[in-house]
Each structure stands twice: as structure tokens, then as C-alpha cells.
Amino acid sequence: MVRSTLTWLLLSLALPAQAAQLIASLDSKQSHLGQPVVLHLEARGKNLSLEDIDLSPLAADFEVFSITRSSTNDRAQLDATLYPLRTGTLTVPAVALKDAHSKALTLEVTDDPDLSLSVRFTPDSLFERQRSTLLVSLRDKADRQWSSPKAPESPDLLLLPLGERLFEEGSGAEHVNVHELRWEALALRAGHQALKLPMLDVYQLGRRLRLPLPIAHLEVRALPSYLPVAVPVG
């Protein structure tokens, strides 16, 4: 009896410990731009934690909006709500936890057929100290609720809100709700300006959507050096 017990102990010590596993999955393989997807991570193994796992590689194509965690004795779980930042075939890269690595995942993201967005400066080419209008136009065939966006910021532009405008166009199948946002933009210095606006929050049937807006481009030309600073530019 003693010999068999000793043999069992020696065998158990000789066996390698079960390798840790990190399993990743998405709750959907396809999504419209603005819709959330959930990345589920599960770590299997003794004394594993997902508290400090690095999700920064996802930032290239996703906004990591929220994270929830849970754990038991031999497994830890993490759910991350992601919002895609562009359309196309996006990759959720592999993430690492100690010696374990998850597999990379892909997500197909397409434009929402009921929604179109445009962002532009009018005019989009001017001199320093001249004014342009930044126009954000949202054309929505669905009945969605739009939250007021955060004001855009730029060290090279002075942006002043000009208000919002809501109206409807068309009828029947062609009916569309139009939401326009305007800012006056004063160019402070010469150069190419690429203004990135904050994400927009949208609610549809109680579901939160977050939409990335296109980058607005503005070409600002330098004023002649002989022109005094105090002279207004029309």
C-alpha cells in the first residue's frame, strides 16, 4: 500500500503541469459601423488573472468602450465591448497572458445602409485668419436618437458653435431625418489641418451605438509677410 502510494506521488510529480490556455471569441463575425461587438476572453489555468492584460493592440481598429471581469478557482473571464473605428475586414489581434496567447480573430464591418455621414469645411482652402464653416451632416432613415456631440478641439483652429439643425427630407421609402451640426472655424496658422472629431453616441431601441466621424481636412495658406498682423483678413 505504501509502495503504491509512493509510486503515484512520483508519477504525479513527473507529469508536466497543464499548460495555461487563453481563448478568445467574438459574439458576432459581422457588424455595421457603429454597432458594438463583445470580445470574450477566457483564461484557463491555476492562479491566472485577466486584471492586467494588455488590450492596447486593439486601439488601431477599435474603441475599447467597457470591460467586465469575473473569475473562479481555475478560470478567469473578461468581456470587452468594442466599437469598430472603420469598415472593412478588421483584425482583433492575438493577446498574451504569461505564456498563453489567444488566436487572432476577424470581423467584417460594413456601412449602415440607413445612415450616411459627412464632415467638411466650407471653404476647405483659405488664408490664415480667415473663417470657414465646419459642417457635420447626418442622414438617417431609421428613427434613432442622437446625443449632442462633444465640441471638436484643435490647437490650430478656433472653433465656435453655430448650433444644430434638424429637418426631414423626402417621403415614404425615401424619407430621411437630417441632423446638421455647424461650427465657425478661424484658421490660426498655416498648414494642412486634419481635424478628428469625437465619436457620436446614438441610441436605437435602447441600444447604444457609437459612430466614428470622417476626418475633416482644411488647407490653410500663409499670409504675405508684409501684411501687418492687425489687418483683418476677409
Side-chain angles (χ1 to χ4, degrees):
M1 180 67 180
V2 174
R3 178 178 295 179
S4 61
T5 302
L6 181 61
T7 302
W8 180 85
L9 287 173
L10 291 173
L11 286 173
S12 64
L13 291 173
L15 290 174
Q18 185 177 4
Q21 292 180 295
L22 184 60
I23 302 169
S25 62
L26 292 170
D27 68 340
S28 176
K29 294 183 178 180
Q30 296 178 331
S31 177
H32 287 318
L33 191 65
Q35 294 179 346
V37 293
V38 177
L39 170 64
H40 179 74
L41 292 175
E42 183 174 300
R44 298 176 181 176
K46 292 290 186 180
N47 301 319
L48 289 180
S49 171
L50 292 172
E51 288 294 329
D52 299 322
I53 196 163
D54 182 16
L55 297 182
S56 61
L58 278 69
D61 288 326
F62 298 93
E63 177 192 42
V64 181
F65 184 74
S66 64
I67 295 174
T68 58
R69 297 178 176 87
S70 62
S71 61
T72 59
N73 289 336
D74 60 353
R75 113 178 15 187
Q77 296 180 337
L78 179 150
D79 287 323
T81 299
L82 311 178
Y83 284 96
L85 297 178
R86 62 178 180 88
T87 58
T89 302
L90 308 189
T91 299
V92 177
V95 294
L97 179 67
K98 295 184 179 180
D99 295 330
H101 294 79
S102 69
K103 292 182 178 180
L105 307 171
T106 58
L107 176 70
E108 292 292 335
V109 182
T110 57
D111 284 317
D112 188 329
D114 293 330
L115 178 66
S116 64
L117 304 172
S118 66
V119 181
R120 68 180 186 272
F121 284 101
T122 306
D124 60 5
S125 180
L126 41 65
F127 284 104
E128 293 173 289
R129 308 206 311 264
Q130 283 188 316
R131 287 173 169 78
S132 179
T133 299
L134 172 63
L135 172 64
V136 177
S137 179
L138 319 168
R139 303 177 64 84
D140 183 13
K141 292 184 178 180
D143 186 16
R144 286 176 261 222
Q145 295 179 325
W146 297 84
S147 296
S148 296
K150 294 181 179 178
E153 297 180 356
S154 170
D156 300 323
L157 298 170
L158 178 62
L159 294 159
L160 301 174
L162 296 176
E164 304 181 20
R165 193 162 73 103
L166 301 172
F167 57 95
E168 299 178 8
E169 290 182 349
S171 61
E174 300 301 320
H175 176 265
V176 61
N177 298 306
V178 183
H179 188 183
E180 289 186 348
L181 311 165
R182 295 174 185 267
W183 290 266
E184 181 183 74
L186 176 64
L188 301 179
R189 57 179 59 90
H192 177 77
Q193 308 294 335
L195 182 64
K196 182 175 177 59
L197 284 82
M199 301 267 283
L200 282 178
D201 282 329
V202 188
Y203 294 88
Q204 184 176 22
L205 301 177
R207 188 185 191 193
R208 183 177 195 162
L209 312 179
R210 281 178 63 78
L211 286 160
L213 290 171
I215 293 176
H217 296 276
L218 180 66
E219 292 293 339
V220 182
R221 302 186 298 277
L223 288 169
S225 58
Y226 59 78
L227 193 64
V229 175
V231 174
V233 180

